[in-house]
Amino acid sequence: MRFLAILPVLLSTAALILTTLCLFAGSRPGFMEDYALVTLNTSRIGQNVLNTTSSESSNPFISFIDNVTNSIEAEINEGLNSFAKELGLHDFYSAHILDFCEGFYTPTDMLNATVSKSEIKKNVTDCSNRTAMYHFDPQQTLQLELNNSSNSNINLTDLNWPDEIDAGLKALRIASQAMFVLYCIAIAFAGVAFLAALASIFFTGRISSFINVLIDLLAFLAVGIASAIATAIAVKAADVINHYGNEIGVSAQKGERFLILTWVATGVMFVASLVWCFDCIAGRKDKSKRYKSEAN
């Protein structure tokens, strides 16, 4: 019985669980919401138009502002949280691998004298259907919500939505699809690695070690490349949105917790590969010593 194989069994199990969590994070309201790939903050969208309003403008968004009561307009000047709700949009949209979730910040979207950063929480109200090869399109999502609201006459162009955001995120579509495929492959190989390691507890020999090394390396490469792509998508998407969306009150934050989760899964799978490499090399040395002792 090979007791050393127990360690790869535990490691491959951990990698399997972690990669599965990466894939299904945010797949339903409240499930690992803090592990989004990117979170889009739209609670202050339209602030630039608000600050340049003109009663003579033909912009329907400005007409909407003119129809808001003075009490709500006073709240707008302090924080656009209630205004975003009036407009028909949510405060945030969190992009995951299979879907996106939306909701509001509670008790408010901004820090103030009575509310600290730690007190602001996400209240998820809904998530889209889980979809393979999913790619989050904020322009389409926001426009759809505007169309379904009582302010269907307002378009994102009225809010000066930058075309550069759409172009930048569109360039990441293929990367998003590749990331999904690689996570599926990583989960499959991690599962095979678990079964192979479990079987190797009862079957000794360098051949079984070599097979496990090969399987674990393939799993490591799959989750490693998926993690690298996920990191690139999160960083690039957040940079593009923050660069071009700042003027219209839109910002984004990369999912640091998600990135930690996926890179831990990569590291765990790498350690499992090293364990099997050690076992393979150690087995070869033991076999050489046995041959020498028999020769003597």
Side-chain angles (χ1 to χ4, degrees):
M1 182 173 287
R2 181 187 291 168
F3 292 102
L4 181 64
I6 296 177
L7 181 56
V9 167
L10 297 176
L11 292 171
S12 57
T13 300
L16 177 60
I17 294 173
L18 292 175
T19 49
T20 301
L21 289 176
C22 286
L23 183 63
F24 288 96
S27 57
R28 64 176 185 270
F31 179 65
M32 298 183 67
E33 176 55 35
D34 291 333
Y35 291 82
L37 193 59
V38 180
T39 299
L40 179 68
N41 185 341
T42 57
S43 61
R44 303 199 142 261
I45 189 171
Q47 185 178 18
N48 62 317
V49 182
L50 176 65
N51 294 332
T52 58
T53 56
S54 172
S55 59
E56 298 179 357
S57 174
S58 60
N59 190 327
F61 176 64
I62 296 178
S63 299
F64 163 77
I65 294 176
D66 291 336
N67 292 330
V68 176
T69 63
N70 293 331
S71 60
I72 295 180
E73 192 167 353
E75 294 178 8
I76 294 173
N77 293 326
E78 296 177 1
L80 292 180
N81 188 30
S82 60
F83 174 68
K85 294 179 182 178
E86 287 289 330
L87 190 58
L89 299 176
H90 289 80
D91 285 343
F92 69 86
Y93 300 84
S94 52
H96 301 276
I97 296 179
L98 295 177
D99 65 346
F100 78 90
C101 295
E102 59 190 13
F104 299 98
Y105 292 112
T106 58
T108 179
D109 68 311
M110 283 196 68
L111 304 177
N112 55 49
T114 60
V115 179
S116 64
K117 183 178 181 180
S118 61
E119 293 176 312
I120 299 177
K121 306 295 182 182
K122 287 181 178 179
N123 178 28
V124 179
T125 58
D126 194 20
C127 293
S128 63
N129 295 329
R130 283 181 289 184
T131 306
M133 314 286 280
Y134 176 74
H135 175 72
F136 179 58
D137 186 346
Q139 191 274 342
Q140 183 182 47
T141 301
L142 295 177
Q143 187 58 61
L144 181 62
E145 292 208 335
L146 286 173
N147 294 341
N148 292 334
S149 70
S150 59
N151 305 297
S152 57
N153 60 321
I154 298 177
N155 294 316
L156 282 182
T157 53
D158 300 323
L159 305 177
N160 298 332
W161 181 266
D163 293 334
E164 290 83 357
I165 292 181
D166 298 331
L169 297 183
K170 186 177 181 180
L172 300 175
R173 180 182 296 274
I174 296 178
S176 299
Q177 296 172 346
M179 176 183 65
F180 166 78
V181 173
L182 284 167
Y183 271 114
C184 291
I185 294 174
I187 291 172
F189 274 120
V192 174
F194 164 74
L195 295 175
L198 195 63
S200 296
I201 295 177
F202 308 100
F203 297 97
T204 60
R206 282 196 301 143
I207 294 179
S208 64
S209 297
F210 178 76
I211 292 175
N212 277 281
V213 169
L214 182 61
I215 295 173
D216 285 22
L217 282 177
L218 290 174
F220 162 69
L221 288 175
V223 68
I225 297 174
S227 298
I229 295 176
T231 302
I233 291 175
V235 172
K236 178 64 176 179
D239 286 347
V240 168
I241 294 173
N242 288 330
H243 181 72
Y244 296 105
N246 181 60
E247 294 184 356
I248 63 169
V250 173
S251 62
Q253 183 178 10
K254 63 182 180 181
E256 294 182 355
R257 291 189 178 185
F258 176 89
L259 297 180
I260 291 174
L261 188 69
T262 188
W263 282 112
V264 168
T266 303
V268 168
M269 207 65 249
F270 178 67
V271 173
S273 303
L274 292 180
V275 172
W276 283 120
C277 287
F278 169 79
D279 185 74
C280 190
I281 295 173
R284 182 175 182 180
K285 288 183 177 179
D286 291 341
K287 191 173 183 179
S288 298
K289 290 179 180 179
R290 188 165 59 252
Y291 283 155
K292 288 181 180 179
S293 62
E294 291 175 357
N296 295 330

